[in-house]
Amino acid sequence: MAEVTQEATTESRKVDHIRINLNENVNFPHLTTGLERYRFMHTAVPELDLNEVDSSVSLFGKTLNAPLLISSMTGGAELARRINQNLAIAAQEHGIAMGLGSQRAAVEDPDLVKTFQVRQYAPDILLFANLGAVQLNYGYGPDQCRRAVDMIEADALILHFNVLQEAVQPEGDTNFAGLLKQVEKVTKEVGVPVIAKEVGWGFSERDVRNLANAGVAAIDVAGSGGTSWSEVEYHRAPTSFHAKVARSFADWGIPTADAILYAKAGAPQHPVIASGGLRDGIDVAKCIALGATIGGLAGPFLKAANESVEAVNELIRELVAQIRIAMLCSGANSIQALQETKLYKD
Amino acid sequence: MAEVTQEATTESRKVDHIRINLNENVNFPHLTTGLERYRFMHTAVPELDLNEVDSSVSLFGKTLNAPLLISSMTGGAELARRINQNLAIAAQEHGIAMGLGSQRAAVEDPDLVKTFQVRQYAPDILLFANLGAVQLNYGYGPDQCRRAVDMIEADALILHFNVLQEAVQPEGDTNFAGLLKQVEKVTKEVGVPVIAKEVGWGFSERDVRNLANAGVAAIDVAGSGGTSWSEVEYHRAPTSFHAKVARSFADWGIPTADAILYAKAGAPQHPVIASGGLRDGIDVAKCIALGATIGGLAGPFLKAANESVEAVNELIRELVAQIRIAMLCSGANSIQALQETKLYKD
Amino acid sequence: MAEVTQEATTESRKVDHIRINLNENVNFPHLTTGLERYRFMHTAVPELDLNEVDSSVSLFGKTLNAPLLISSMTGGAELARRINQNLAIAAQEHGIAMGLGSQRAAVEDPDLVKTFQVRQYAPDILLFANLGAVQLNYGYGPDQCRRAVDMIEADALILHFNVLQEAVQPEGDTNFAGLLKQVEKVTKEVGVPVIAKEVGWGFSERDVRNLANAGVAAIDVAGSGGTSWSEVEYHRAPTSFHAKVARSFADWGIPTADAILYAKAGAPQHPVIASGGLRDGIDVAKCIALGATIGGLAGPFLKAANESVEAVNELIRELVAQIRIAMLCSGANSIQALQETKLYKD
Amino acid sequence: MAEVTQEATTESRKVDHIRINLNENVNFPHLTTGLERYRFMHTAVPELDLNEVDSSVSLFGKTLNAPLLISSMTGGAELARRINQNLAIAAQEHGIAMGLGSQRAAVEDPDLVKTFQVRQYAPDILLFANLGAVQLNYGYGPDQCRRAVDMIEADALILHFNVLQEAVQPEGDTNFAGLLKQVEKVTKEVGVPVIAKEVGWGFSERDVRNLANAGVAAIDVAGSGGTSWSEVEYHRAPTSFHAKVARSFADWGIPTADAILYAKAGAPQHPVIASGGLRDGIDVAKCIALGATIGGLAGPFLKAANESVEAVNELIRELVAQIRIAMLCSGANSIQALQETKLYKD
Ligand SMILES: Cc1cc2nc3c(=O)[nH]c(=O)nc-3n(C[C@H](O)[C@H](O)[C@H](O)COP(=O)(O)O)c2cc1C
Ligand SMILES: Cc1cc2nc3c(=O)[nH]c(=O)nc-3n(C[C@H](O)[C@H](O)[C@H](O)COP(=O)(O)O)c2cc1C
Ligand SMILES: Cc1cc2nc3c(=O)[nH]c(=O)nc-3n(C[C@H](O)[C@H](O)[C@H](O)COP(=O)(O)O)c2cc1C
Ligand SMILES: Cc1cc2nc3c(=O)[nH]c(=O)nc-3n(C[C@H](O)[C@H](O)[C@H](O)COP(=O)(O)O)c2cc1C
């Protein structure tokens, strides 16, 4: 019976997360991504043809048509399966990358595996598996990681770090001691590149240095300013005590713009995935100009995927157009040129 | 038939532009001209007589009574003709400069020429012809430019650069590659001075340097903070895709105050026309103190000209009075003295 | 008849000014005194007794009980006479200084003299006569100045500089050329100290240096941030042209805090009277800590005097209490100690 | 009869204070604690176990389970007795420190002693007696201090400095001259450590240096940004004169964050208690990272204690959880590590 309850809990938790993210305001109340502090220098005479602007980029040996990632979100429930399917079809159509939500439930319950499997809809995309890093302190190791990767034929594995989310939850997994050693074991044995990812509070420069030393291949900063997971947990809090504790951390974290700079400082040679609060293609372009290789969005894709494949397609088309026009109007004809573009601050 | 449709389209587009500019909020949502950051040092003891303050200035061999330009706006439709007539009568009355809207339609359709012809109302003013620079990549050259100049007996030709406006339009002319070479050909052969002008996003210092090397005689910065042309296109967008892409660029661009400084840095010897968001004579005076020779306004003149000649006259009278009082109260008795006046920042 | 009309005009203008100042919002829309940028360092252990704090100060050979001036306001009408009487009685009661409004009307029409005469109510106070400096370019000289001083048995003469107010008025006296020479003649011959005073836009450092060289004995900065005289004229404007021109200067001027620093820089040995937007005793105390000797208020005293002597008395009592408590809580037991107190900026 | 009246007055004043603090807005209108300017650097990889984070700290020979103080508030009335009892029971339960309100009333009237006595409910806690420092200029000395300490079996004595509160009260005790010498006598003779405490306006660096030289053992900064005592007195003002004077000081004072830095600069070896506007455990943690040893709250505890013991318990639980999670997410596993944590400013 215990397992059954556990599964039920997982399913309802997953649906809770989706419901709260769709219906409640889960933005940071005051903290912003910091991207609004940066501006492109407009060029009126770019000497470029918009049609020749090249927005493609390579990561882990695959080429994306645009520097875009649908960030890890869901799985483990029927609603989640449909969302993943919609996302995958559109990602394939546009040639962009995609991550799946934490696969722990499926690692533990084979019945849930199908809610994560999207390869049939997206045979060519760069696809990321996902597990919570802290599980490595609760019995997980390279084997479970391997299972998550294989289950979805992923190109790489994301280990997400969510210490604050665990800490504000009633029974959160809050033992983060000695985790770097466990991560190192995984990076050595799992056989695919490992990406360390936050979930909305960013990494410090020291975190990034430590993770690079532990063998991770890339950093997804998932900084502050977009979806706030302490606010999500606030909306799920079972008691006023938990609600107040979660609420007090509503503006905690490292703004995404700062987190990108920390990541480049801590691991200058590692590709950086920028995410956390990116809301249009200009945001993505700014992140790349700050040093990122691609940019990821979660919240906006959730809303679109909850509607239809066509809504996701339209969102991607908008993002791509915005990125390309931002490139044109700042004189960058390739992602590399964009990475070398200097932003200025007001 | 194709031409007929094309003309119809042009006419209705021109009327659309006027209607949107008159009825919708097309200001930058947040971005300002930056002029509000600068202040004149008030002098309580100017040792000047207001009646002796000299606000006249010379440009391209003509003397203006005040450093004012009615910026390029319209033509190509009956409504536009009436607006141009009202503007020209007032410009002549007060001895200020005026530009006409893009003459492409009239270059292609002789029937529309009369909607641009204002010399009969303004025999003495400094008058500017206008064409989109990007047309030089779509079949235009010195001949078409010459035709635009001759058609209205202009003293100089404005080539406007509007890359972002083209990029957010459904079928915009977005090939800006190799344009500098085309511009150079025009500056060499057209026989009148050529002014490079933006339409509301400003030029970077590098742009200005490149344009000066291509032989332009002056820069009209048309910086950000006033009329936003991506917002105008937002209001004309045929699909939600185009609307969202246009909207995301609502705060793009180089504030007018910065653009003036870039222009002076990029081409120290070239006269600079300041425009973009100037809303009273104090704004004009600040621009001159930052290095400009004259200041241009578009939006406010459109509203006045849509009413009557008298409304345009009143607007010019107000602007001139404000410029002259600002000169008095900052101790500048000539435009040159105003150009040497130091502004201070809060 | 001409004189009669002139008097009538003067009377109604004076009453207009009072009415507008009492009933309309004539504050600067955005510009502040700048005093809010400065803070006292609180001392919790002042080692002082509030009863021993000495707020007296000497100026032009007279001792004030508190460093306060009722700034120049009115005269020339019956309503003005009653206001002056109320102010004078309270000034005498509390031993503070007072200025009268511009006496030009009374210099020209002996019937109006009595509306300025307050010595009978305030035999001991430091009392200032007042004339517009620009009148020295319109026929006035040492004689008329002497008449203004004698008429009210003043201790000193204020010459007010109001170039912007003149410039935005329909028929303003706007010839300020060569005024310094005229001022110098007055300072040499009038026989009492001359104070140069603005009316709400402050003096620049260069103005102050010029005025000191012309022999003025003190500077009343009358900086920006309080009553805006272009806004007063806006409310009196006869045409929309005059209204719009006046309105555009609503935020012109040198904030009072800056003006004090300019005055000390331009004439380090001259006593400085701080005024323009002072609204409580903490403001007055800050001005003194910035270098002023006393602080003046106009608008707040007008409202009180329009009510009763008792209202003026209550206002003075509040101001004095606030000054003394600010001295106690910043550890200054004398005005000199307050002048040496360092403020800090956030 | 005189004493009876005095007692009556004291009782009603105490109840007034509680009532006003519970029902009126007594926050600083604009001034903040300054803590919002500082941020922790989030660490996503803390290498810590939340259960192993040690939030205990020692002060005056006693160990607290968390770095928390219930700041001095009340006594001298039946309502106050009940509040003190509720606070003490919860303080004992959680092992945190507590201060009582000013005991002057009880020193002078033995009948009121019981309203302060809480040792029976809190045998183990660190407990602080409280008297107004200025009373040392009005007949108090080491004897009265000793009586206050003994009456409640306190571990230390707080002398509070409230010069501004006294100054804005109708008959306030405003002779603060020579107070340091009196304080020194007390610190030498009273036999327990003496803490100098403000009540909401902070100490300057010079104050702290002077107090350290006078022998105080610790500083409770009680800076600005939380409860404003001039606002409390504003609500109690008997006349509009007193109300206006009190109101004008509503934003006076040294923000708590600045006051902590001044205290560390003025007395680097003295333990600092941070208080004034702390509203959650993250605020407390920031104060400790700025150099404090523990953090105190008054207003929030008053509201909880007015409800029930359980409400106080819940508040403490929240504060402790917030402190511990802030420690986890900034990588500090002990209070000492937290003190060494660098904050950053936006
Ligand atoms: C509904 C939802 C579920 C999420 N689940 C996961 C997850 O399982 N694993 C993970 O690494 N991040 C997860 N995230 C975090 C996102 O990947 C992303 O880092 C974060 O939301 C910030 O991006 P955003 O502001 O664009 O939403 C989730 C986000 C959302 C909105
Ligand atoms: C109705 C309208 C039509 C315009 N058409 C043109 C044009 O044809 N050519 C051009 O160079 N600029 C054109 N502009 C841009 C203006 O010349 C000017 O650069 C811009 O509006 C910023 O100035 P403003 O803020 O004072 O309006 C137009 C502006 C308006 C309002
Ligand atoms: C009703 C009124 C009349 C004034 N008339 C004079 C005047 O005649 N001469 C003068 O020097 N200043 C005059 N002033 C200006 C004041 O002396 C003072 O410089 C200015 O109002 C700024 O101070 P405030 O902000 O405290 O009002 C007048 C002000 C007011 C409100
Ligand atoms: C109802 C009440 C009574 C207080 N009484 C005293 C007191 O008697 N002695 C004292 O030192 N501070 C007293 N204080 C001040 C507090 O100890 C504290 O310094 C101040 O309120 C700032 O903290 P807060 O912002 O957390 O309220 C009192 C505060 C309150 C709210």
Side-chain angles (χ1 to χ4, degrees), chain D residues 169-249:
Chain D
Q169 279 182 60
E171 314 266 301
D173 295 329
T174 53
N175 178 12
F176 277 70
L179 208 51
L180 282 167
K181 208 176 225 139
Q182 307 300 324
V183 171
E184 189 165 7
K185 203 145 65 176
V186 173
T187 61
K188 285 210 170 105
E189 302 178 22
V190 73
V192 292
V194 172
I195 302 161
K197 172 178 178 296
E198 240 285 349
V199 302
W201 296 291
F203 292 103
S204 71
E205 186 178 333
R206 211 189 50 167
D207 288 339
V208 171
R209 204 173 299 119
N210 287 338
L211 290 163
N213 288 339
V216 308
I219 300 288
D220 182 338
V221 302
S224 298
T227 304
S228 162
W229 276 92
S230 64
E231 286 292 280
V232 175
E233 296 301 336
Y234 164 81
H235 285 288
R236 290 180 62 228
T239 68
S240 88
F241 166 80
H242 287 102
K244 283 196 196 150
V245 171
R247 180 49 54 100
S248 66
F249 286 90

Side-chain angles (χ1 to χ4, degrees), chain C residues 227-289:
Chain C
T227 304
S228 161
W229 276 92
S230 64
E231 286 292 280
V232 175
E233 295 302 336
Y234 164 81
H235 284 288
R236 291 179 62 228
T239 68
S240 88
F241 166 79
H242 287 102
K244 283 197 194 149
V245 171
R247 181 47 58 97
S248 66
F249 286 90
D251 274 323
W252 185 273
I254 303 173
T256 295
D258 295 348
I260 296 170
L261 300 181
Y262 292 145
K264 292 313 288 181
Q269 305 306 325
H270 282 57
V272 168
I273 300 173
S275 73
L278 277 50
R279 290 300 171 256
D280 61 30
I282 304 178
D283 282 344
V284 175
K286 284 183 187 174
C287 290
I288 293 172

